[in-house]
Amino acid sequence: MRSSKGTPLFLLLSFFFFSINNFAQNSEKPNVIIINADDLGYGDTGVYGATKVQTPNIDKLAAEGKRFTDAHSASAVCTPSRYALITGEYAFRINNALPVFSRDSLIVDPEKLTIADVMKEQDYKTGIIGKWHLGFGDKKPTNWNEELKPGPLELGFDYYFGVPVLNSHPPFVYLENHKVLGLEEDDPMEYGKEANTAPYPEKWNRGFHKLGGADAAHELYIDSLVGTTLKNKAVEYIRKNKENPFFLYLATTNIHHPFTPAERFIGSSDAGRYGDFIHELDWIVGEVMTSLEKENLAHNTLVIFTSDNGGMLNQGGQDAYSFAHRNNGDLLGFKFGAWEGGHRVPFIAWWPGKIDGGAVSDQLISNVDLTASLAALFERDLQDGEAIDSFNLLPALLDNPKDQIRRHLIVSPGDMSNISLRKGKWMYISDQNSGGFPGEVVGMHNFGGAATLPFTGQKNSDIENGKIKKDAPPAQLYNLEEDPYQYTNVYNEHPEVVKEMKSELNKLLESKKTRP
């Protein structure tokens, strides 16, 4: 096999592995920071085409690093996407397709290798700051008055500070390591109770997961200061660990609803509260990068910026549309769904001296690949059962391979009936519609699927007047090279491709691993 320029592929790979071996033996270990934004769509930043918001810090990161145009979250849903990033394994393997909430226990097996374990093996300090959203403890319902373990500290992290579930659902408190911050023995947290927390649109404490009490703990959580608090903790973590190689996983709550930026950002964008929250996210990124410069760490730090899934057409997203801000650009679909807008995400890699500035790559990559990629940084061979769906992306980060590293990628939407397979130019979705949110009326929080097309002005051959046509094919096939915005379902035109894709998807779903 040869590259498109005629150089034998084995020579390119030999050079790459020689370079990595030379790095592993002779260079100081780089710090690694992964910034995992929440619900940030493909079109939510300037460098990816946004005009109604200004993101100078994220744009600078891309100008000095490499921007990927075909990067995907392994799921269009928050929890399974985060599971994939942490473990290098698709969440469908543990039958997880939807978010966890306040009563749910930890969904990651503590015996499983994690991305933090990989770094800890190399004597790194390992910290997570921000949104966790993978559950705590080993019993249901979670007892928030006890030590919350197993949790991040049982999965390879030395330190955790952050929001335990998500900023739209209880509990509205901070956790530090195993404990709720500010929890007092005589004022415990209780299911079914009201919480001492401010009301905002698209923020809920109700139903089965309602959780309150613990007034002192709730008083520490001020919605409009969550972004600032997490930023401060991240900068503090960098400063405290500057003498050691460190791994920091910074999972922001921006830009997940409710949209609660600090006062200084309110009204700063041309996209309403949605855009203002993006401006705060960009500021957080800038503050992290400034701290690296201040501590003289920038020259030896790998920073990866991405999102857990695509943008959502919630009430804030609909407001942004009214300002002509399209959170997923021209991509079809939104968070939770199998169409491209649900899972094609921003992905930027920055490492001075190792990654060429201003580079753009069309490599097919996913957040599930980060565990294998960091393992490869230290020539750490993955064993059977470890990061079983994670591909080594280092050649794509550090170089510009002409051949695709990933031959295929499975993407899980909220409805597993629509689980999908990407292979080369083809995208196969195993059912009709998006498999995402079912809301059919403008103004609904869970507005999604076919019903959104009259609102967004987009077109799809299976849909008319916001409904699936009666004669639409039973599943979907798109040629993304010719039709990146998924105007035309070519399922009926390519039965041989459908058969091949369906067969391969079934085999991969039944396999014990998908990585080489």
Side-chain angles (χ1 to χ4, degrees):
M1 183 183 296
R2 306 181 74 83
S3 75
S4 60
K5 290 188 176 180
T7 305
L9 182 61
F10 78 89
L11 288 181
L12 289 176
L13 292 175
S14 297
F15 174 76
F16 167 73
F17 285 116
F18 172 79
S19 300
I20 290 299
N21 182 61
N22 189 57
F23 156 77
Q25 292 182 6
N26 301 319
S27 300
E28 60 177 319
K29 294 175 180 177
N31 306 303
V32 178
I33 300 175
I34 296 175
I35 304 175
N36 194 28
D38 200 345
D39 288 3
L40 188 75
Y42 190 81
D44 273 335
T45 62
V47 72
Y48 281 92
T51 59
K52 299 297 182 179
V53 298
Q54 306 299 317
T55 54
N57 294 299
I58 296 170
D59 298 351
K60 182 182 179 184
L61 202 66
E64 296 176 353
K66 179 177 286 189
R67 175 171 65 93
F68 289 80
T69 59
D70 202 3
H72 300 259
S73 53
S75 171
V77 183
C78 37
T79 291
S81 171
R82 291 160 193 274
Y83 178 90
L85 189 156
I86 292 288
T87 65
E89 176 179 303
Y90 292 129
F92 74 76
R93 297 189 182 279
I94 61 165
N95 297 315
N96 173 259
L98 295 171
V100 299
F101 292 103
S102 60
R103 291 177 176 263
D104 293 312
S105 56
L106 180 67
I107 66 169
V108 183
D109 181 354
E111 298 301 314
K112 191 178 297 293
L113 180 82
T114 68
I115 194 168
D117 288 327
V118 168
M119 304 305 284
K120 198 172 181 66
E121 288 176 354
Q122 302 298 322
D123 296 323
Y124 274 63
K125 298 294 184 181
T126 55
I128 169 173
I129 292 169
K131 175 178 172 178
W132 177 237
H133 208 191
L134 292 168
F136 290 91
D138 54 11
K139 296 182 179 65
K140 294 184 180 181
T142 302
N143 186 341
W144 295 91
N145 300 302
E146 297 180 346
E147 284 203 326
L148 294 162
K149 60 181 183 181
L153 272 60
E154 286 65 52
L155 298 175
F157 291 100
D158 298 323
Y159 178 73
Y160 170 56
F161 178 92
V163 178
V165 184
L166 63 168
N167 56 324
S168 61
H169 287 73
F172 302 108
V173 296
Y174 291 116
L175 259 64
E176 188 164 35
N177 295 326
H178 289 131
K179 295 183 177 181
V180 174
L181 208 62
L183 185 64
E184 297 177 348
E185 189 174 344
D186 61 353
D187 186 16
M189 298 183 72
E190 295 183 42
Y191 287 104
K193 289 194 71 172
E194 296 295 333
N196 180 22
T197 187
Y200 284 92
E202 300 186 279
K203 176 185 175 183
W204 302 283
N205 184 29
R206 65 191 185 193
F208 184 65
H209 297 286
K210 186 175 183 178
L211 182 60
D215 285 354
H218 281 90
E219 285 175 1
L220 298 176
Y221 183 98
I222 301 171
D223 301 76
S224 62
L225 296 181
V226 171
T228 301
T229 300
L230 298 182
K231 182 275 295 183
N232 288 343
K233 284 292 183 179
V235 170
E236 178 184 293
Y237 185 86
I238 291 168
R239 176 178 55 79
K240 286 184 174 180
N241 291 283
K242 63 183 178 181
E243 302 300 329
N244 315 283
F246 65 80
F247 169 61
L248 172 60
Y249 172 48
L250 173 58
T252 70
T253 55
N254 299 62
I255 58 171
H256 192 283
H257 58 275
F259 302 93
T260 58
E263 185 176 358
R264 61 183 289 195
F265 298 104
I266 295 175
S268 64
S269 77
D270 294 324
R273 54 192 172 132
Y274 186 101
D276 297 346
F277 218 25
I278 293 173
H279 280 191
E280 183 176 60
L281 171 66
D282 185 72
W283 170 75
I284 292 169
V285 172
E287 290 294 292
V288 169
M289 301 308 293
T290 297
S291 72
L292 293 176
E293 293 285 353
K294 181 179 178 181
E295 305 298 346
N296 195 30
L297 299 172
H299 69 285
N300 192 42
T301 301
L302 167 62
V303 176
I304 292 173
F305 175 84
T306 189
S307 177
D308 66 338
N309 44 249
M312 182 176 174
L313 198 62
N314 46 26
Q315 292 166 2
Q318 292 170 53
D319 289 347
Y321 254 78
S322 72
F323 291 103
H325 175 76
R326 304 171 73 91
N327 55 4
N328 294 321
D330 292 325
L331 298 176
L332 183 67
F334 300 92
K335 173 184 177 178
F336 260 64
W339 295 330
E340 289 295 291
H343 49 84
R344 190 181 290 234
V345 293
F347 191 106
I348 299 168
W350 179 93
W351 191 1
K354 300 291 193 301
I355 296 175
D356 292 336
V360 179
S361 174
D362 64 356
Q363 278 280 333
L364 174 64
I365 64 172
S366 174
N367 59 352
V368 74
D369 297 325
L370 290 173
T371 299
S373 303
L374 293 187
L377 195 61
F378 307 105
E379 297 185 298
R380 199 280 196 193
D381 292 331
L382 294 173
Q383 305 302 309
D384 289 346
E386 294 181 341
I388 56 179
D389 301 305
S390 190
F391 283 58
N392 174 18
L393 296 180
L394 272 185
L397 296 181
L398 303 179
D399 204 347
N400 189 30
K402 299 302 179 183
D403 296 308
Q404 288 286 342
I405 295 171
R406 264 198 169 276
R407 198 176 68 83
H408 49 65
L409 176 68
I410 296 173
V411 175
S412 300
D415 185 345
M416 290 295 284
S417 297
N418 289 67
I419 196 165
S420 307
L421 177 64
R422 171 72 185 278
K423 184 179 179 182
K425 65 183 181 181
W426 297 110
M427 181 65 168
Y428 171 74
I429 302 173
S430 51
D431 204 344
Q432 297 177 330
N433 215 329
S434 73
F437 285 112
E440 296 183 346
V441 179
V442 175
M444 294 180 68
H445 167 75
N446 65 344
F447 193 34
T452 65
L453 269 67
F455 176 84
T456 63
Q458 294 170 294
K459 304 293 183 183
N460 179 274
S461 60
D462 288 355
I463 299 167
E464 187 173 28
N465 298 323
K467 303 285 186 182
I468 299 295
K469 296 177 181 178
K470 291 183 179 180
D471 61 349
Q476 301 167 71
L477 181 72
Y478 297 98
N479 181 338
L480 295 181
E481 280 186 3
E482 298 178 0
D483 183 21
Y485 306 127
Q486 297 176 301
Y487 296 127
T488 306
N489 180 6
V490 294
Y491 179 98
N492 289 333
E493 288 74 17
H494 297 279
E496 73 289 349
V497 177
V498 169
K499 182 179 179 181
E500 176 188 337
M501 296 287 282
K502 185 176 181 180
S503 175
E504 181 153 4
L505 176 59
N506 288 334
K507 289 179 182 177
L508 291 171
L509 292 174
E510 295 171 0
S511 67
K512 292 184 178 180
K513 70 172 187 175
T514 62
R515 68 170 167 81

